Amino acid sequence: MVVTGELTALGAAYRTVLVGALIFLALMVVLCLIRAVKGPSIADRIVAVNMMGTMVMVMIAILAFLLKEGYLVDICLIYAMISFLAVIVLTKVYMGVHKEKENSREGQENGSD
């Protein structure tokens, strides 16, 4: 009988810690969103988007544990793949824009010589 009470108290403590972690992660996602919008550089924005994706995956994993729903882990894995591809695409676009600016600067310097 005592063991059941201890397990229930331990379960409640785990639940409280996990809910606290979810709240903390939600706050961090909002702060990363501010960094992604504000910048100042493209690299800061890309890192902020990547961090947001990682934190959302952790939040989904915590929810899967709290709700005891296994399908949420599958959703978490799919979200990880989509987040990875999004960061790769953003980096590729940024590198293309950077190369284009670099080429136009070289063209202006060569044209003015």
Side-chain angles (χ1 to χ4, degrees):
M1 199 63 121
V2 176
V3 173
T4 306
E6 289 175 7
L7 290 178
T8 304
L10 186 60
Y14 277 136
R15 187 173 186 83
T16 303
V17 169
L18 291 174
V19 169
L22 283 173
I23 292 169
F24 177 75
L25 286 170
L27 178 65
M28 292 295 112
V29 167
V30 170
L31 292 176
C32 282
L33 181 63
I34 292 169
R35 176 53 60 196
V37 170
K38 199 172 179 182
S41 70
I42 298 292
D44 292 330
R45 292 182 173 128
I46 291 173
V47 169
V49 168
N50 191 19
M51 285 178 60
M52 286 171 51
T54 302
M55 286 188 279
V56 168
M57 284 183 283
V58 172
M59 291 171 70
I60 292 172
I62 290 172
L63 282 173
F65 181 75
L66 281 175
L67 300 175
K68 294 176 179 58
E69 296 290 343
Y71 70 91
L72 287 176
V73 177
D74 297 334
I75 292 172
C76 184
L77 290 171
I78 292 169
Y79 189 84
M81 289 186 282
I82 292 171
S83 177
F84 172 74
L85 288 176
V87 170
I88 296 298
V89 167
L90 285 173
T91 305
K92 185 78 172 165
V93 168
Y94 170 65
M95 292 303 293
V97 169
H98 179 71
K99 288 269 188 194
E100 188 176 306
K101 285 182 182 178
E102 193 175 277
N103 289 339
S104 68
R105 283 187 207 144
E106 288 178 5
Q108 288 175 355
E109 289 175 3
N110 291 337
S112 64
D113 284 345

